[in-house]
Amino acid sequence: MSAENGKNGIPDVPAGPRPEPLRFYGTTWVDHDHGYTARRAGLAAGSLAVAAAACLVLRVAYQGLQIAEIGSFVSLLVIVMFAVCSALAFRHTWSGFSSRPDPDRQASLRGLLAIGFVGSLLAYFFRTFTEAPGERLHRAEYEKARAEYEKRTTRRSGNPSKKRRR
């Protein structure tokens, strides 16, 4: 049941389009309220910490490969694979903040993005310095929807009895 303002059961929620919530931010990105700045700072620190921890785990895995003496060629392949996948994941994640990703392409890149997760974490970290990741895209879509809604609801056609016939 929705909250009511006490006037004939009219809900407090404004009419029109509602903003789409962002992960970890909800709808605080609209007005930058309710701890928006603290969330951005916390998520920036958190994503950097997780990326650093992931790099340590990858280093331990690489040391395990060295102990197993699998050879320099395979070690080089592993390093190149993680570097390339991280770079591609960074680019894909970064571009996903400014445009909606294609669901089919997203599904086909799922494995690559999983391998290059460090790149995605770093993209998230760097984006939080300017905005909540994806905020610009969501804000543009929300403002466009609000403008279209206002245009539809405030349109006046005048007095219909004075309408000129063709």
Side-chain angles (χ1 to χ4, degrees), residues 25 27-28 31-39:
Y25 292 92
T27 57
T28 61
D31 296 322
H32 293 182
D33 57 354
H34 302 296
Y36 170 82
T37 306
R39 286 182 194 196

Side-chain angles (χ1 to χ4, degrees), residues 53-137:
C55 287
L56 288 175
V57 169
L58 291 175
R59 178 166 168 79
V60 169
Y62 179 74
Q63 287 175 342
L65 293 176
Q66 284 182 328
I67 291 170
E69 297 179 0
I70 60 169
S72 61
F73 179 70
V74 175
S75 296
L76 180 66
L77 281 178
V78 169
I79 291 171
V80 169
M81 176 196 61
F82 275 107
V84 168
C85 288
S86 291
L88 291 173
F90 181 94
R91 177 70 184 129
H92 180 75
T93 304
W94 191 264
S95 66
F97 295 141
S98 58
S99 65
R100 295 272 180 186
D102 179 30
D104 294 333
R105 184 169 186 260
Q106 185 83 7
S108 68
L109 291 176
R110 187 168 289 136
L112 183 127
L113 295 174
I115 294 169
F117 64 99
V118 175
S120 293
L121 289 168
L122 291 176
Y124 197 89
F125 169 72
F126 287 120
R127 181 58 91 163
T128 55
F129 286 122
T130 57
E131 65 177 2
E135 177 181 347
R136 187 174 300 145
L137 172 66

Side-chain angles (χ1 to χ4, degrees), residues 17 145 147-155:
E148 289 173 357
Y149 175 78
E150 293 296 325
K151 185 178 177 182
R152 279 193 318 266
T153 58
T154 59
R155 186 180 303 163

